[in-house]
Amino acid sequence: MNKTRLEFIDVAKFIGMILVILTHCQEGGGHIIPTVYSFHLPLFFILNGWTLKIDNLSFGEYLVKKIKSYLIPIFCLGSIVIIFQLFFYHKEGGLIYFGNEFLNLVEQRRALTLWFIGALFFSDIFFYAVYKLGKNKIVFMSIISLLFLGLGIFINYHYHRALFWNLDAMPFGVFFVYIGYLCSHEKLKKMQNYILSKRWLSLLVGAGLFFIGFLFSEINYHVFNQHLEMWGNQYKEYYLTIPSAVFLSLGVIYLCNTISNKVLGELGKTTFVLLAFHQTMAMPIFQQKMFPSWYATFKALDKMNLTRYQFSSAETLFCLVFCIAIYYIICYTPLAFMIRKRMPDFYKKAFYQAKQKISAFFHNKEKI
């Protein structure tokens, strides 16, 4: 079950990233936008909670693990994006531009697409408190998580702006992380294993949950002209957006279990690079360097039609190929640590041999 579980989780991550990229490429148009925005970011919080491991970890160990998993990629990949933008848009800016943008990255108020990873980091950190205070008991953890959700609604209602390190998104994130954690809780493990072991049942459960979430989303959009959008602090109507996000996300996860395969599972590991580079690097290259006239035609159209669908689909495909290629290039360089991968043994061996040669050189020199 462990291999299957990890595989369908990675498949869901990859499907989620495709939806994120597609919505960005459509630039606000298209009929799928309200539905996709209703769950595409909560999905990643829930997936994160589903695989979260806290048992037997002290807070210090847990914190170090999260810093390695989230903060190092934020600053490393963010620096690459800033350097790209410096040469692509702001050649005259030089070090001043880089310094200002890096300060924005440090402050993290929706800085780059990587802002979401900062929100995820603090959601995980605060969820550690939920876990410890609730003593891993479903009832207590549910109460604390609902309090976090209430805090998020209160902040959103009264302030409605991005806070330092995107802490405004954290309370909602904690709640979504709990939903994912609840799904893998030991009390529900037998039921989950039974559903996940039978693909036909996973298909029925996934389709049912997705349909319920879709109904909530459609009511919210067509009656109140609203849909959840975490980047813009848009959560109203709360009693519709939150259930919609939960049901749609869980529906996608169970549906992904029915299409689980090794290729999609492997591609699910590229989500950090896809998130970091698709909107900040791949899309500008496609729009301004490869197909500027096609992009101008796309922008001139008010509503989604065949031309806009063709452009956004081609751009989405380019973003996927571009970012996945970068991911595998980084994997085989000494910079693999930036994407939470180990440096290939080839480089470790080369560095070790170089170190030995340098040590031998100075040792022989001392003898002379």
Side-chain angles (χ1 to χ4, degrees), residues 23 75 77 80 85 104 118 120 128 155 160 184 186 245 258 276 281 299 321 332 353:
T23 54
F75 290 113
L77 299 180
I80 293 175
Q85 291 181 335
N104 289 334
L120 192 59
Y128 185 90
I155 293 173
H160 200 73
S184 61
E186 57 185 10
T258 67
M281 292 173 62
K299 291 287 288 184
V321 173
Y332 292 100
Q353 291 175 345

PDB file of all heavy atoms in Angstrom, residues 23 75 77 80 85 104 118 120 128 155 160 184 186 245 258 276 281 299 321 332 353:
ATOM      1  N   THR A  23      -4.746  27.381 -15.726  1.00  0.00           N
ATOM      2  CA  THR A  23      -5.495  28.581 -15.341  1.00  0.00           C
ATOM      3  C   THR A  23      -4.663  29.842 -15.550  1.00  0.00           C
ATOM      4  O   THR A  23      -5.192  30.882 -15.957  1.00  0.00           O
ATOM      5  CB  THR A  23      -5.942  28.503 -13.872  1.00  0.00           C
ATOM      6  OG1 THR A  23      -4.805  28.259 -13.028  1.00  0.00           O
ATOM      7  CG2 THR A  23      -6.964  27.417 -13.664  1.00  0.00           C
ATOM      8  N   PHE A  75      14.435  30.104  -1.541  1.00  0.00           N
ATOM      9  CA  PHE A  75      15.476  31.099  -1.778  1.00  0.00           C
ATOM     10  C   PHE A  75      16.364  30.727  -2.972  1.00  0.00           C
ATOM     11  O   PHE A  75      16.787  31.617  -3.714  1.00  0.00           O
ATOM     12  CB  PHE A  75      16.315  31.301  -0.515  1.00  0.00           C
ATOM     13  CG  PHE A  75      15.565  32.004   0.580  1.00  0.00           C
ATOM     14  CD1 PHE A  75      15.233  31.357   1.747  1.00  0.00           C
ATOM     15  CD2 PHE A  75      15.160  33.326   0.418  1.00  0.00           C
ATOM     16  CE1 PHE A  75      14.519  31.991   2.746  1.00  0.00           C
ATOM     17  CE2 PHE A  75      14.452  33.979   1.410  1.00  0.00           C
ATOM     18  CZ  PHE A  75      14.130  33.320   2.573  1.00  0.00           C
ATOM     19  N   LEU A  77      15.516  28.646  -5.728  1.00  0.00           N
ATOM     20  CA  LEU A  77      14.751  28.765  -6.969  1.00  0.00           C
ATOM     21  C   LEU A  77      14.302  30.203  -7.192  1.00  0.00           C
ATOM     22  O   LEU A  77      14.263  30.684  -8.332  1.00  0.00           O
ATOM     23  CB  LEU A  77      13.544  27.830  -6.932  1.00  0.00           C
ATOM     24  CG  LEU A  77      13.858  26.328  -6.813  1.00  0.00           C
ATOM     25  CD1 LEU A  77      12.570  25.512  -6.779  1.00  0.00           C
ATOM     26  CD2 LEU A  77      14.740  25.858  -7.957  1.00  0.00           C
ATOM     27  N   ILE A  80      17.093  32.160  -8.792  1.00  0.00           N
ATOM     28  CA  ILE A  80      17.195  31.864 -10.224  1.00  0.00           C
ATOM     29  C   ILE A  80      16.160  32.663 -11.008  1.00  0.00           C
ATOM     30  O   ILE A  80      16.460  33.237 -12.068  1.00  0.00           O
ATOM     31  CB  ILE A  80      17.014  30.352 -10.472  1.00  0.00           C
ATOM     32  CG1 ILE A  80      18.180  29.570  -9.892  1.00  0.00           C
ATOM     33  CG2 ILE A  80      16.860  30.059 -11.965  1.00  0.00           C
ATOM     34  CD1 ILE A  80      18.019  28.067  -9.980  1.00  0.00           C
ATOM     35  N   GLN A  85      14.674  37.217 -14.585  1.00  0.00           N
ATOM     36  CA  GLN A  85      13.907  38.434 -14.832  1.00  0.00           C
ATOM     37  C   GLN A  85      14.818  39.650 -15.009  1.00  0.00           C
ATOM     38  O   GLN A  85      14.506  40.562 -15.769  1.00  0.00           O
ATOM     39  CB  GLN A  85      12.923  38.669 -13.689  1.00  0.00           C
ATOM     40  CG  GLN A  85      11.797  37.634 -13.650  1.00  0.00           C
ATOM     41  CD  GLN A  85      10.805  37.869 -12.539  1.00  0.00           C
ATOM     42  OE1 GLN A  85      11.117  38.489 -11.516  1.00  0.00           O
ATOM     43  NE2 GLN A  85       9.596  37.364 -12.700  1.00  0.00           N
ATOM     44  N   ASN A 104      12.158  41.429  -1.401  1.00  0.00           N
ATOM     45  CA  ASN A 104      10.742  41.041  -1.514  1.00  0.00           C
ATOM     46  C   ASN A 104      10.566  39.546  -1.291  1.00  0.00           C
ATOM     47  O   ASN A 104       9.587  39.108  -0.680  1.00  0.00           O
ATOM     48  CB  ASN A 104      10.205  41.417  -2.902  1.00  0.00           C
ATOM     49  CG  ASN A 104      10.058  42.907  -3.081  1.00  0.00           C
ATOM     50  OD1 ASN A 104       9.886  43.637  -2.111  1.00  0.00           O
ATOM     51  ND2 ASN A 104      10.133  43.373  -4.314  1.00  0.00           N
ATOM     52  N   GLY A 118       5.853  29.302   1.104  1.00  0.00           N
ATOM     53  CA  GLY A 118       5.968  29.935   2.411  1.00  0.00           C
ATOM     54  C   GLY A 118       4.728  29.716   3.260  1.00  0.00           C
ATOM     55  O   GLY A 118       4.813  29.447   4.465  1.00  0.00           O
ATOM     56  N   LEU A 120       2.711  27.215   2.953  1.00  0.00           N
ATOM     57  CA  LEU A 120       2.720  25.792   3.286  1.00  0.00           C
ATOM     58  C   LEU A 120       3.671  25.515   4.449  1.00  0.00           C
ATOM     59  O   LEU A 120       3.370  24.709   5.333  1.00  0.00           O
ATOM     60  CB  LEU A 120       3.131  24.985   2.056  1.00  0.00           C
ATOM     61  CG  LEU A 120       2.938  23.467   2.083  1.00  0.00           C
ATOM     62  CD1 LEU A 120       1.474  23.112   2.308  1.00  0.00           C
ATOM     63  CD2 LEU A 120       3.436  22.851   0.789  1.00  0.00           C
ATOM     64  N   TYR A 128       1.961  21.373  13.671  1.00  0.00           N
ATOM     65  CA  TYR A 128       2.682  20.633  14.703  1.00  0.00           C
ATOM     66  C   TYR A 128       2.053  20.927  16.066  1.00  0.00           C
ATOM     67  O   TYR A 128       1.880  20.016  16.894  1.00  0.00           O
ATOM     68  CB  TYR A 128       4.156  21.028  14.696  1.00  0.00           C
ATOM     69  CG  TYR A 128       5.018  20.238  15.656  1.00  0.00           C
ATOM     70  CD1 TYR A 128       5.627  19.061  15.258  1.00  0.00           C
ATOM     71  CD2 TYR A 128       5.228  20.677  16.970  1.00  0.00           C
ATOM     72  CE1 TYR A 128       6.418  18.324  16.133  1.00  0.00           C
ATOM     73  CE2 TYR A 128       6.011  19.951  17.850  1.00  0.00           C
ATOM     74  CZ  TYR A 128       6.615  18.783  17.428  1.00  0.00           C
ATOM     75  OH  TYR A 128       7.387  18.057  18.301  1.00  0.00           O
ATOM     76  N   ILE A 155      -9.430  36.997  10.176  1.00  0.00           N
ATOM     77  CA  ILE A 155      -8.376  37.823   9.561  1.00  0.00           C
ATOM     78  C   ILE A 155      -8.806  38.274   8.176  1.00  0.00           C
ATOM     79  O   ILE A 155      -8.657  39.443   7.807  1.00  0.00           O
ATOM     80  CB  ILE A 155      -7.056  37.034   9.486  1.00  0.00           C
ATOM     81  CG1 ILE A 155      -6.506  36.783  10.896  1.00  0.00           C
ATOM     82  CG2 ILE A 155      -6.027  37.779   8.644  1.00  0.00           C
ATOM     83  CD1 ILE A 155      -5.294  35.870  10.921  1.00  0.00           C
ATOM     84  N   HIS A 160      -8.071  41.480   5.075  1.00  0.00           N
ATOM     85  CA  HIS A 160      -8.153  41.223   3.634  1.00  0.00           C
ATOM     86  C   HIS A 160      -6.913  41.730   2.884  1.00  0.00           C
ATOM     87  O   HIS A 160      -7.001  42.406   1.869  1.00  0.00           O
ATOM     88  CB  HIS A 160      -9.409  41.868   3.058  1.00  0.00           C
ATOM     89  CG  HIS A 160      -9.801  41.257   1.737  1.00  0.00           C
ATOM     90  ND1 HIS A 160     -10.356  39.996   1.649  1.00  0.00           N
ATOM     91  CD2 HIS A 160      -9.716  41.720   0.454  1.00  0.00           C
ATOM     92  CE1 HIS A 160     -10.596  39.732   0.368  1.00  0.00           C
ATOM     93  NE2 HIS A 160     -10.205  40.748  -0.362  1.00  0.00           N
ATOM     94  N   SER A 184      -5.389  10.062   6.588  1.00  0.00           N
ATOM     95  CA  SER A 184      -4.405   8.996   6.792  1.00  0.00           C
ATOM     96  C   SER A 184      -4.248   8.637   8.268  1.00  0.00           C
ATOM     97  O   SER A 184      -3.327   7.910   8.633  1.00  0.00           O
ATOM     98  CB  SER A 184      -3.043   9.432   6.237  1.00  0.00           C
ATOM     99  OG  SER A 184      -2.570  10.599   6.904  1.00  0.00           O
ATOM    100  N   GLU A 186      -4.648   6.890  11.841  1.00  0.00           N
ATOM    101  CA  GLU A 186      -4.739   5.456  12.148  1.00  0.00           C
ATOM    102  C   GLU A 186      -6.173   4.988  12.375  1.00  0.00           C
ATOM    103  O   GLU A 186      -6.519   3.831  12.104  1.00  0.00           O
ATOM    104  CB  GLU A 186      -3.893   5.134  13.387  1.00  0.00           C
ATOM    105  CG  GLU A 186      -4.267   5.931  14.624  1.00  0.00           C
ATOM    106  CD  GLU A 186      -3.345   5.669  15.784  1.00  0.00           C
ATOM    107  OE1 GLU A 186      -2.305   5.027  15.582  1.00  0.00           O
ATOM    108  OE2 GLU A 186      -3.672   6.114  16.897  1.00  0.00           O
ATOM    109  N   ALA A 245     -13.717  23.337  -1.586  1.00  0.00           N
ATOM    110  CA  ALA A 245     -12.291  23.039  -1.696  1.00  0.00           C
ATOM    111  C   ALA A 245     -11.982  21.640  -1.170  1.00  0.00           C
ATOM    112  O   ALA A 245     -11.209  20.884  -1.775  1.00  0.00           O
ATOM    113  CB  ALA A 245     -11.475  24.078  -0.930  1.00  0.00           C
ATOM    114  N   THR A 258      -7.238   5.932  -9.286  1.00  0.00           N
ATOM    115  CA  THR A 258      -7.705   5.029 -10.347  1.00  0.00           C
ATOM    116  C   THR A 258      -6.854   5.122 -11.607  1.00  0.00           C
ATOM    117  O   THR A 258      -6.897   4.227 -12.450  1.00  0.00           O
ATOM    118  CB  THR A 258      -9.170   5.349 -10.729  1.00  0.00           C
ATOM    119  OG1 THR A 258      -9.235   6.642 -11.348  1.00  0.00           O
ATOM    120  CG2 THR A 258     -10.064   5.346  -9.502  1.00  0.00           C
ATOM    121  N   ALA A 276       7.691  27.008  -9.515  1.00  0.00           N
ATOM    122  CA  ALA A 276       8.625  28.134  -9.487  1.00  0.00           C
ATOM    123  C   ALA A 276       8.809  28.798 -10.841  1.00  0.00           C
ATOM    124  O   ALA A 276       8.905  30.026 -10.931  1.00  0.00           O
ATOM    125  CB  ALA A 276       9.980  27.665  -8.951  1.00  0.00           C
ATOM    126  N   MET A 281       9.153  32.134 -15.916  1.00  0.00           N
ATOM    127  CA  MET A 281      10.154  31.912 -16.950  1.00  0.00           C
ATOM    128  C   MET A 281       9.559  31.339 -18.238  1.00  0.00           C
ATOM    129  O   MET A 281       9.746  31.902 -19.319  1.00  0.00           O
ATOM    130  CB  MET A 281      11.254  30.984 -16.406  1.00  0.00           C
ATOM    131  CG  MET A 281      12.092  31.631 -15.310  1.00  0.00           C
ATOM    132  SD  MET A 281      13.275  30.493 -14.510  1.00  0.00           S
ATOM    133  CE  MET A 281      14.320  30.047 -15.883  1.00  0.00           C
ATOM    134  N   LYS A 299      -4.501  37.984 -26.628  1.00  0.00           N
ATOM    135  CA  LYS A 299      -4.854  39.062 -25.694  1.00  0.00           C
ATOM    136  C   LYS A 299      -5.989  39.927 -26.217  1.00  0.00           C
ATOM    137  O   LYS A 299      -6.756  40.508 -25.435  1.00  0.00           O
ATOM    138  CB  LYS A 299      -3.629  39.948 -25.429  1.00  0.00           C
ATOM    139  CG  LYS A 299      -2.523  39.276 -24.642  1.00  0.00           C
ATOM    140  CD  LYS A 299      -2.881  39.103 -23.181  1.00  0.00           C
ATOM    141  CE  LYS A 299      -2.864  40.416 -22.433  1.00  0.00           C
ATOM    142  NZ  LYS A 299      -3.125  40.241 -20.991  1.00  0.00           N
ATOM    143  N   VAL A 321       6.873  20.950 -20.538  1.00  0.00           N
ATOM    144  CA  VAL A 321       8.105  20.413 -21.117  1.00  0.00           C
ATOM    145  C   VAL A 321       9.316  21.212 -20.643  1.00  0.00           C
ATOM    146  O   VAL A 321      10.346  20.643 -20.247  1.00  0.00           O
ATOM    147  CB  VAL A 321       8.022  20.419 -22.662  1.00  0.00           C
ATOM    148  CG1 VAL A 321       9.365  20.013 -23.268  1.00  0.00           C
ATOM    149  CG2 VAL A 321       6.917  19.490 -23.139  1.00  0.00           C
ATOM    150  N   TYR A 332      20.799  16.295 -12.093  1.00  0.00           N
ATOM    151  CA  TYR A 332      22.099  15.708 -12.421  1.00  0.00           C
ATOM    152  C   TYR A 332      23.227  16.727 -12.330  1.00  0.00           C
ATOM    153  O   TYR A 332      24.250  16.600 -13.004  1.00  0.00           O
ATOM    154  CB  TYR A 332      22.040  15.076 -13.815  1.00  0.00           C
ATOM    155  CG  TYR A 332      21.140  13.861 -13.846  1.00  0.00           C
ATOM    156  CD1 TYR A 332      19.840  13.952 -14.340  1.00  0.00           C
ATOM    157  CD2 TYR A 332      21.562  12.638 -13.333  1.00  0.00           C
ATOM    158  CE1 TYR A 332      18.995  12.840 -14.343  1.00  0.00           C
ATOM    159  CE2 TYR A 332      20.723  11.533 -13.328  1.00  0.00           C
ATOM    160  CZ  TYR A 332      19.450  11.643 -13.839  1.00  0.00           C
ATOM    161  OH  TYR A 332      18.614  10.541 -13.822  1.00  0.00           O
ATOM    162  N   GLN A 353      37.799  13.147  -4.618  1.00  0.00           N
ATOM    163  CA  GLN A 353      39.094  12.960  -5.258  1.00  0.00           C
ATOM    164  C   GLN A 353      39.863  14.272  -5.359  1.00  0.00           C
ATOM    165  O   GLN A 353      41.085  14.302  -5.153  1.00  0.00           O
ATOM    166  CB  GLN A 353      38.896  12.351  -6.650  1.00  0.00           C
ATOM    167  CG  GLN A 353      38.408  10.915  -6.630  1.00  0.00           C
ATOM    168  CD  GLN A 353      38.104  10.383  -8.015  1.00  0.00           C
ATOM    169  OE1 GLN A 353      37.990  11.139  -8.980  1.00  0.00           O
ATOM    170  NE2 GLN A 353      37.948   9.052  -8.122  1.00  0.00           N
TER     171      GLN A 353
END
